[in-house]
Amino acid sequence: MTRKAFITGITGQDGSYLTELLLEQGYEVHGSVRRTSTLERSRLAHLYADESIYKQTLFLHYADLDDPTTLRRVLNQVRPDELYHLAGQSHVGLSFEIPETTCEFTAMGTLRLLEILRDLPEPPRFFHATSSEIFGRPAQSPQSEETPIAPVNPYGCAKAFATQMVRVYRESHGLFAVNGILYNHESPRRGENFVTRKICHAAAAIKAGVQQELMLGDTSAQRDWGHARDYVRGMWMALRHESPDDYVFATGILHRVQDVIEVAFAAVELNWGDYVRFDQRFMRPAEPLHLVGDASKARTQLGWAPQTSFQDLIQEMTRGELEQLTHLD
Ligand code: NDP
Ligand code: GDR
């Protein structure tokens, strides 16, 4: 029997890589999309264009996270074996400006899905994409699955609520529900207003002569950055494991935003100091500190390990941007 997967957030960075992985593994893949005024689904365009895939093994369904009636109907029709819940407002900085929307979709949206699963006769295995942001300013570094939750922004609070709810539904309602505690992961498909993509795009655009400078906030901020392709493989491995649990997915290595700048500008042979400027608008009211993950549980129990280095990731992103800009000429 062909296994069926359902992905919320299929149009996002992770959704697109996960779709490719699951199709390669022989799954029938379903995803929920929301109505937008422009049909922006560029990350899936290559799959749409393939007649042997779109509407053969890949299906899209309209369903918003604040519309449980539709979600329930779609899930009842599809009856997936695995559900990957990736949808949500994923920008931490913006969550200070739109805290209610962030919580509505990320916190309540997850709870609504859990409630729907609880009523299904054969609930699918459930993966929740939670975040290192639940730890905020942790007392211990690196963080593990046991590190206490202490978020410092609305996004982190929403993810913390959803993470704890997943634990409740696993322990009290017997759902096969997994929290993947994901540290930053990037790719050429990363949203344009996340710092790695912003820097890699700017370095390439300055090289191509279509941008003059790059405005950034806190360049001393540190993160544990990996490649999205590695992290979606971890999601899949977690749902194939014999029992449900929480797993940290991380590289275990901290880099500064400044390191991203230096690798990206070096990749296009420019001196970053000539172009990078500070802009107060990109500073946040609060920054988490020392978010670096210990993925030893995922390594020992699932056999997961990241395969792409920080240098290779930033170089791939920058060169990809430059190729696109040059191709447009
Ligand atoms: P993206 O921002 O690239 O994708 C988010 C997805 O969620 C998009 O498909 C988006 O749809 C969808 N979405 C947003 N709001 C709604 C809504 N109200 N109803 C339905 N769909 C909605 O995020 P990533 O792919 O990078 O991340 C996937 C998940 O993993 C997110 O939940 C994120 O918070 C979490 N995460 C990501 C990390 C990372 O470093 N990438 C690290 C830790 C956690 P649309 O295309 O229509 O906007
Ligand atoms: P983050 O990623 O907040 O860690 O959330 P982001 O790339 O937005 O920021 C990383 C760090 O860079 C600093 N920074 C800037 N950030 C942005 N976006 N724009 C700037 O101009 C800029 N200048 C400096 C930030 O202050 C921050 O310290 C990501 C998201 O994918 C979340 O969904 C996910 O949960 C976490 O990673 C883990």
Side-chain angles (χ1 to χ4, degrees):
M1 282 279 283
T2 305
R3 280 186 81 72
K4 282 191 202 174
F6 193 96
I7 305 175
T8 73
I10 194 169
T11 54
Q13 169 188 255
D14 291 4
S16 66
Y17 283 113
L18 182 61
T19 301
E20 286 171 0
L21 172 73
L22 295 173
L23 289 172
E24 273 164 32
Q25 296 296 329
Y27 282 69
E28 180 177 305
V29 179
H30 294 254
S32 58
V33 292
R34 52 185 177 161
R35 196 264 159 187
T36 44
S37 65
T38 53
L39 208 58
E40 217 302 290
R41 293 187 193 147
S42 53
R43 295 177 179 118
L44 297 176
H46 58 298
L47 301 174
Y48 269 39
D50 189 333
E51 284 179 10
S52 70
I53 293 178
Y54 189 49
K55 296 196 175 170
Q56 302 297 322
T57 52
L58 171 64
F59 302 86
L60 300 180
H61 308 264
Y62 279 98
D64 284 15
L65 284 179
D66 56 354
D67 182 353
T69 309
T70 306
L71 279 168
R72 188 183 294 272
R73 184 171 57 243
V74 170
L75 287 171
N76 260 312
Q77 280 165 2
V78 174
R79 296 287 174 102
D81 301 292
E82 296 169 16
L83 198 168
Y84 297 86
H85 176 40
L86 313 181
Q89 193 296 95
S90 68
H91 200 282
V92 174
L94 271 179
S95 78
F96 283 102
E97 291 175 36
I98 48 168
E100 290 188 42
T101 313
T102 304
C103 291
E104 184 55 35
F105 294 134
T106 297
M108 288 306 294
T110 306
L111 175 57
R112 287 190 196 105
L113 266 178
L114 290 165
E115 275 291 276
I116 293 169
L117 298 199
R118 188 181 158 194
D119 293 342
L120 289 178
E122 287 176 60
R125 292 185 170 203
F126 180 76
F127 179 91
H128 172 231
T130 187
S131 166
S132 50
E133 287 287 337
I134 63 174
F135 298 130
R137 291 190 176 150
Q140 79 189 66
S141 266
Q143 299 85 46
S144 74
E145 297 77 7
E146 307 306 323
T147 302
I149 289 175
V152 294
N153 50 56
Y155 171 91
C157 291
K159 286 286 188 195
F161 172 93
T163 305
Q164 203 57 34
M165 277 297 179
V166 167
R167 291 174 180 161
V168 167
Y169 277 68
R170 180 170 69 221
E171 285 156 22
S172 301
H173 298 303
L175 286 186
F176 192 111
V178 171
N179 281 308
I181 306 170
L182 308 167
Y183 283 65
N184 298 54
H185 48 278
E186 322 291 311
S187 73
R189 299 183 196 168
R190 185 59 144 151
E192 290 86 348
N193 58 354
F194 294 93
V195 81
T196 54
R197 178 81 192 278
K198 183 174 168 182
I199 294 169
C200 297
H201 174 80
I206 292 169
K207 181 74 178 179
V210 294
Q211 187 171 329
Q212 278 70 51
E213 57 184 5
L214 167 61
M215 312 301 286
L216 290 171
D218 183 2
T219 55
S220 69
Q222 295 180 306
R223 289 290 187 282
D224 175 337
W225 277 293
H227 198 301
R229 211 181 284 114
D230 288 337
Y231 288 61
V232 303
R233 192 165 29 82
M235 297 176 188
W236 175 63
M237 292 169 108
L239 286 200
R240 294 189 69 80
H241 194 59
E242 63 206 14
S243 52
D245 210 334
D246 295 341
Y247 296 98
V248 163
F249 294 100
T251 69
I253 303 170
L254 271 180
H255 289 277
R256 299 165 304 155
V257 173
Q258 180 63 32
D259 299 325
V260 180
I261 297 170
E262 288 173 19
V263 175
F265 279 76
V268 291
E269 297 171 334
L270 287 177
N271 175 17
W272 65 268
D274 296 338
Y275 307 101
V276 178
R277 308 276 174 265
F278 172 73
D279 190 329
Q280 179 68 34
R281 285 178 306 157
F282 299 112
M283 292 296 284
R284 297 178 183 175
E287 278 283 350
L289 286 177
H290 309 302
L291 291 185
V292 56
D294 172 2
S296 39
K297 184 170 166 186
R299 192 166 51 246
T300 49
Q301 292 193 9
L302 307 177
W304 179 84
Q307 287 171 359
T308 313
S309 72
F310 172 79
Q311 289 263 347
D312 287 351
L313 167 68
I314 301 303
Q315 285 172 357
E316 178 192 338
M317 290 176 70
T318 311
R319 289 180 185 141
E321 294 284 344
L322 192 57
E323 264 165 40
Q324 274 205 345
L325 286 163
T326 324
H327 181 68
L328 287 177
D329 280 348

